[in-house]
Amino acid sequence: MIMMEEGTFTTASKQQWDSTMSQSQFMERDTVLVLSDSDIVTGSSSKKTSHVFQPSQPRGILHRAFSVFLFDASTSELLLQQRASTKITFPNVWTNTCCSHPLHGMEPGEVDGPEDVMDGSVRGVKNAAVRKLEQELGIPVGELKLEEFKFLTRLHYWAADTVTHGKKSPWGEHEIDYVLFITIPSKDKLTVRPHPEEVDDIKWVTQSQLLEMFDDENLLFSPWFRLIAKRWMIGSGSDGGETKKRDDEGQGWWDDLERTMKTDDFCDYETIHRFDPPSEHMGGGGDAGPIFEREEGKKLEANGAGVAPVGNTSKKQGAYGKIKTHKESKIKQLLRVDEVWSAIALLYLQPLESNLESDIIKESYNPSDLEFCDDILCKVSRSFAAVIRQLPSVLLVDVLIFYLVLRALDTVEDDMTFFESDKEKVNILLSFHKTALVDPKWKLMGCGEGDERRLLEEFPKCHSIYATLPESSRRVISDITLRMATGMAEFVDKDLGQGTVDVSQYNRYCHFVAGLVGEGLSRLFSASGLEQPSLAGELHLSDQMGLFLQKTNIIRDYLEDYVDGRAFWPQSVWKKYSCSGDLGYFANPTAEEARTAGLNCLNELVTDALELVPDSLSYLSKLRCAEVFRFCAIPQVMAIATLDKCYHNEDVFTGVVKIRKGMSCQLINDTTDIFGVHSIFNRFASSIIRKADTFRKKGYNDPSYERTINACETIIELTEKEAKEAARYASFVNSTTFVTSCAAAAAACLAYKGPNGVPNNMAIATATSMMASFGILSLFKTGFIRFLNKSSDVS
């Protein structure tokens, strides 16, 4: 819509201009897109918080921005604006037509993913540009079409607003800026009605007029605009004596507007050009210095522009590795002596035995192809590799290939940039069972990243092993592959940027990608003869067990999935808590309201997953083969431990939450039978109840509290008997193990002699410390002191 009355107009977004709101209120209200250095959306922040320069964030918070350059095609004039004197950051400065930020929670959406950048569409940024052009300059939404904007490239810069607020300025900019060019036939046909709260003045200028303005010391310019204009827009311009040429002919973006707008000669979607501000805009409240220069002071170069490029990270497999992982310090982990001991035991004393070298396997399969399959399994999933290898030889290879086939299928589904259309991806998915599993030479080149890509490109080696499997196993693998691919294809064209629509769709997706895996495994277990034939018919239990694992992963991977543009948290749940109407509302929350809302949403989803535990335990109780039991149980205990870690944990919204490696080892060691598994589930269900009660006593009102308590009490009731028996046994075993271990370790330390045959003082100290750390020093006190005294007499 266009302007309705003085100071008030609506846009196509959910937010409305309110002339009664101050610039400070706008700074608090607007929620910008927080970025990684590679331009991946990692969360959100208020506009105010992101622009604060202080010691804890010397350059503010990196966020996404856009710069519009609007030209009169008939005269090649550029429309400039002078920012209003009431603006908090960089008031009174002349700059390009419009500079602002795409926001979370807008309709139409303003969040672009890596695939939008790579194809140059960036509709989110363009939507934001249309919104702000109306808000700042009064240009009606309908006058500038989205398809008329030309996206050229991205620029990463920062600058402290020291000119306005002094050398210790608390304000500044730190942005990855999307450059948008747009031309109109004639400025006479453009409606421009600047809003006084945003713009003090406007001016149409030619190149020569702009350069004259730059030379006028009485005029202030935004530091980024001056650099962009001289470095990229004007081919013959100079900056610091350097000639800035954007192509082999020395032309800049502004030199030939027709070429810029009608060709892709100046489009660079892979490089992020980076530059520091002029020296007068360094400093600020965080005393920030240059970040895009080498230590010796020489600037990194990209395409001769004197800036630092970023490679194309958009084609990584999902968002893995782009999001930080929350970890405890090594010191804290080492202080957990029981977990350290568990790690030592698992690695050196009681490791999971691999049956891959058994004679029956060596005689049945091509050695080099099997070696490849084992190697690639370790690369694409270390966690599953160990539990697969310990399976009996009659089942091991069947499960290994089943996993690799589904991982290859998943790689096809996850790649958001390889296929030219959704239709092409769907065709590959739906035909996978009759191409990859039938044609011994089938492979897919260039899809996925890293080891996943290698898996697809060398898939004939997997097929070689698959073709040698028993017919019953091949039938199961082919059937599950087809059904999973059909489910994946159903979701290919769905917009999952904001998650699944509701819990029903959430469950349906989890069924396709995990529930079917549970069914396939059950059928393989039965076909091998290791489990009863009836297990293959436990479809509900195997499905629920798969859903429990998948939902745990989805809860934990909130930020990774959101950044990747394919999220799965159901909208019917999270929209109850998000004030902005955007799933990114919970990421990097700066307001207490957002933090509370995020935790409420998180706790409801954790509870939803906990309610699947009874069926998972029921499934495990039906297994009779010890190795099959461990194979199924270990991921389950990891899942309940992860849910305990995620419950009411703000870290879920700022990175990846993982349980400690020592704890993982401890869980594996304890998962030998139903007693150990029940003990683990009992332990973590009790932990969640304690957390819920603690937060409730502190005044935290969790809408899911009663439901959470009920789910955990059900788990405790189901596991209490076995947990108590396991606890009694563990108490005896642990006491014996600790005492024996300490005695052995202490003896080893004391037996160590220095070069002269004298006991090493460090070894004696280590022995003392070691026994003290286990709390049993008093047990050895008398004898130990006597031994030390004897050693002293000898020395």
Side-chain angles (χ1 to χ4, degrees), residues 638-651:
M638 298 295 181
I640 187 69
T642 300
L643 288 179
D644 174 59
K645 183 78 171 178
C646 290
Y647 182 79
H648 206 91
N649 188 347
E650 291 182 9
D651 287 345

Side-chain angles (χ1 to χ4, degrees), residues 283-313:
D287 292 323
I291 55 174
F292 301 131
E293 294 182 0
R294 297 188 187 277
E295 291 182 1
E296 65 270 23
K298 295 182 180 180
K299 292 185 177 180
L300 296 167
E301 295 185 358
N303 300 330
V307 290
V310 168
N312 180 9
T313 61

Side-chain angles (χ1 to χ4, degrees), residues 778-791:
S778 59
L779 186 65
F780 296 95
K781 186 175 182 180
T782 303
F784 192 59
I785 291 177
R786 288 176 180 174
F787 189 93
L788 291 176
N789 290 335
K790 183 177 180 181
S791 297

Side-chain angles (χ1 to χ4, degrees), residues 284-501:
D287 292 323
I291 55 174
F292 301 131
E293 294 182 0
R294 297 188 187 277
E295 291 182 1
E296 65 270 23
K298 295 182 180 180
K299 292 185 177 180
L300 296 167
E301 295 185 358
N303 300 330
V307 290
V310 168
N312 180 9
T313 61
S314 66
K315 293 186 179 182
K316 288 184 180 293
Q317 194 65 28
Y320 182 78
K322 303 176 187 177
I323 305 300
K324 68 178 179 181
T325 298
H326 292 289
K327 297 180 180 178
E328 292 187 20
S329 68
K330 290 184 179 179
I331 293 178
K332 285 186 177 181
Q333 294 188 57
L334 290 173
L335 289 176
R336 298 181 179 274
V337 182
D338 55 338
E339 293 182 7
V340 173
W341 173 253
S342 294
I344 293 172
L346 182 63
L347 292 173
Y348 302 108
L349 303 180
Q350 294 177 314
L352 290 175
E353 296 292 338
S354 173
N355 292 315
L356 200 61
E357 298 299 320
S358 65
D359 291 338
I360 188 173
I361 289 179
K362 288 182 177 180
E363 295 170 0
S364 302
Y365 303 99
N366 180 291
S368 61
D369 290 343
L370 185 61
E371 183 181 2
F372 166 80
C373 291
D374 180 51
D375 176 66
I376 203 70
L377 173 68
C378 296
K379 297 292 179 56
V380 299
S381 181
R382 290 183 181 179
S383 58
F384 272 106
V387 291
I388 289 176
R389 284 169 169 170
Q390 60 89 48
L391 286 169
S393 55
V394 70
L395 177 64
L396 191 163
V397 180
D398 308 62
V399 173
L400 187 157
I401 295 300
F402 183 44
Y403 181 86
L404 290 181
V405 168
L406 298 186
R407 191 56 183 257
L409 189 70
D410 185 62
T411 301
V412 172
E413 184 210 17
D414 281 349
D415 197 314
M416 305 300 292
T417 59
F418 176 74
F419 301 98
E420 293 185 359
S421 66
D422 287 343
K423 183 178 179 180
E424 182 185 0
K425 177 186 282 190
V426 167
N427 288 338
I428 294 291
L429 289 171
L430 294 180
S431 63
F432 199 88
H433 70 292
K434 56 186 179 184
T435 53
L437 299 184
V438 174
D439 182 357
K441 296 182 179 180
W442 183 93
K443 57 186 174 181
L444 188 60
M445 307 299 292
C447 182
E449 286 295 321
D451 293 308
E452 283 82 4
R453 173 182 288 192
R454 183 182 167 211
L455 171 61
L456 285 170
E457 293 182 347
E458 299 186 49
F459 197 81
K461 296 177 181 178
C462 293
H463 183 278
S464 164
I465 306 300
Y466 167 80
T468 316
L469 293 175
E471 193 276 334
S472 58
S473 295
R474 285 186 278 117
R475 185 167 56 247
V476 170
I477 296 173
S478 179
D479 176 54
I480 296 300
T481 299
L482 171 60
R483 291 163 61 192
M484 182 181 288
T486 302
M488 289 176 169
E490 179 182 314
F491 281 83
V492 164
D493 62 351
K494 294 186 185 301
D495 182 2
L496 294 174
Q498 295 295 313
T500 51
V501 174

Side-chain angles (χ1 to χ4, degrees), residues 81-87 90-92 195-200:
Q81 69 155 280
Q82 185 182 28
R83 290 166 61 88
S85 58
T86 55
K87 301 284 280 188
F90 298 96
N92 302 309
H195 194 284
E197 289 291 321
E198 296 284 341
V199 178
D200 274 355

